[in-house]
Amino acid sequence: MSIHSVKRAQTHLAWDNSIAPVIHVSSGDTVTFDCLDASNGQITASSNAATLASLNVSLLDQVNGPVHIAGAQPGDTLRVDVCGLETADWGWSALIPGFGLLADEFPEPALKVWKLVRNSAGKDVSGNGEYGYAWFNEEKGIKVPLKPFCGEMGVAPGKDGAHSTIPPYATGGNIDTRHLTAGSTLYLPVEVPGALFSIGDGHAAQGDGECGTAIETPMKVTVRLTVLKEKPYVKTPHFTTRNPHAGTEEFYCTTGVDSDIREATRAAVRNMITFLGVEHGLGAVEAYMLCSVAGDLRMHEVVDMPNYVIGIMMPKSIFTKT
């Protein structure tokens, strides 16, 4: 196993399979990325709401990479193990005109700069939710726990041309899924040779769905990239996580990605039915019933149009025979 790094300046602003990789790695190698915040460095710890007036939105949500993984071919699955995350000591949340679930009701720009109080280790390598905290309002006693993750993780689409980094896709992208903390594993469908993996959009904390904003922050993230040949049923992002938001239960999640929220939800359930059939030998009727009685539907990403990401999370503890 080798360890590689992608520098802060090695970024791109579109998912495009014609973008040359910045590094080539072998399957199973570890890569560390040094990522700016989602504003691409336009917002700093000393910024205020006036900064948003000059914000160049065409520079938002850049991603670091792409990384070519040897042996990855269309139809394969890329396994992304999130090994470690390190935020800056500050972050920001903003209401940017035109963005967010209630953008029409909150047209004025607003910015909050946070001080991030990290634990003594300064990084999350365990996924146990003990990374640190930030005061939302210390006078009123409102404190937010820090649970860092990267909002953007994806591979290049098979369809030629440039595709915006703002929405999520079946190949990943801006999936903004808060459960992808350290210790989790993401599975992505490979559509081009080498997969061409990229990552960015560091979040120190965010609620499910990211209805308006997250705590955006520069992030150093380390992932292990492994090519899998035995999971051809992965057609949208799947992941496993030891849920840091509700105890130590471990989940397997399938997602649906669609411009219609109901269709995204239906697709997530269909993908779980397929997973249960392949991995646990269940018939479709059995699997659908199990989804209904044991699966939790979650809105992972609902603001970056035109697509939604809906997931169904299945507790792994219900499978008592390995």
Side-chain angles (χ1 to χ4, degrees):
M1 180 185 71
S2 299
I3 300 175
H4 307 267
S5 62
V6 174
K7 298 179 176 61
R8 179 168 286 195
Q10 293 176 307
T11 64
H12 54 101
L13 284 159
W15 298 101
D16 188 335
N17 60 38
S18 69
I19 297 175
V22 298
I23 57 171
H24 289 70
V25 305
S26 297
S27 177
D29 282 357
T30 298
V31 185
T32 296
F33 298 79
D34 185 4
C35 305
L36 274 173
D37 66 287
S39 78
N40 217 341
Q42 296 180 86
I43 297 174
T44 69
S46 59
S47 293
N48 55 43
T51 304
L52 300 181
S54 59
L55 196 67
N56 184 346
V57 296
S58 69
L59 298 178
L60 300 182
D61 278 349
Q62 80 291 346
V63 287
N64 288 61
V67 175
H68 180 284
I69 302 96
Q73 294 295 329
D76 293 343
T77 298
L78 183 66
R79 172 175 172 152
V80 184
D81 293 298
V82 183
C83 302
L85 297 153
E86 182 178 356
T87 72
D89 60 4
W90 68 279
W92 60 269
S93 299
L95 301 184
I96 299 173
F99 288 85
L101 196 62
L102 300 180
D104 55 330
E105 298 179 25
F106 292 86
E108 298 301 319
L111 178 70
K112 178 179 179 60
V113 175
W114 303 72
K115 178 182 178 181
L116 307 183
V117 183
R118 301 173 295 178
N119 64 22
S120 58
K123 62 181 68 175
D124 185 359
V125 295
S126 64
N128 61 11
E130 297 177 355
Y131 186 85
Y133 66 90
W135 284 107
F136 179 78
N137 188 314
E138 189 167 4
E139 181 180 351
K140 295 181 178 179
I142 304 173
K143 185 166 68 172
V144 176
L146 303 182
K147 303 180 188 296
F149 69 96
C150 282
E152 292 262 11
M153 287 195 276
V155 293
K159 185 178 180 181
D160 291 341
H163 307 271
S164 170
T165 56
I166 299 297
Y169 304 97
T171 49
N174 199 15
I175 53 179
D176 279 338
T177 299
R178 72 170 187 158
H179 306 286
L180 293 173
T181 51
S184 65
T185 298
L186 175 67
Y187 300 93
L188 296 169
V190 175
E191 294 189 356
V192 299
L196 301 180
F197 174 80
S198 299
I199 192 169
D201 190 23
H203 293 172
Q206 179 206 290
D208 265 335
E210 194 190 25
C211 62
T213 185
I215 301 181
E216 309 285 348
T217 182
M219 186 84 79
K220 291 183 180 178
V221 56
T222 300
V223 300
R224 183 169 53 252
L225 303 172
T226 307
V227 178
L228 303 178
K229 303 292 185 180
E230 74 278 11
K231 292 174 77 75
Y233 57 82
V234 174
K235 303 298 184 184
T236 61
H238 292 199
F239 63 88
T240 61
T241 183
R242 194 175 302 279
N243 188 352
H245 312 283
T248 59
E249 175 70 86
E250 190 171 5
F251 295 85
Y252 190 92
C253 180
T254 60
T255 68
V257 183
D258 199 277
S259 58
D260 182 291
I261 195 168
R262 186 169 187 270
E263 288 307 312
T265 306
R266 284 159 57 87
V269 175
R270 289 193 199 99
N271 290 335
M272 180 59 76
I273 290 170
T274 299
F275 165 77
L276 292 171
V278 173
E279 298 292 346
H280 296 282
L282 297 184
V285 171
E286 288 182 298
Y288 184 28
M289 285 184 182
L290 187 60
C291 287
S292 298
V293 301
D296 291 327
L297 284 166
R298 298 287 183 93
M299 293 190 297
H300 295 312
E301 215 297 320
V302 299
V303 297
D304 292 318
M305 296 298 97
N307 294 331
Y308 300 88
V309 180
I310 305 297
I312 180 167
M313 301 180 73
M314 188 67 66
K316 296 178 77 172
S317 62
I318 68 173
F319 304 106
T320 63
K321 293 183 178 181
T322 58

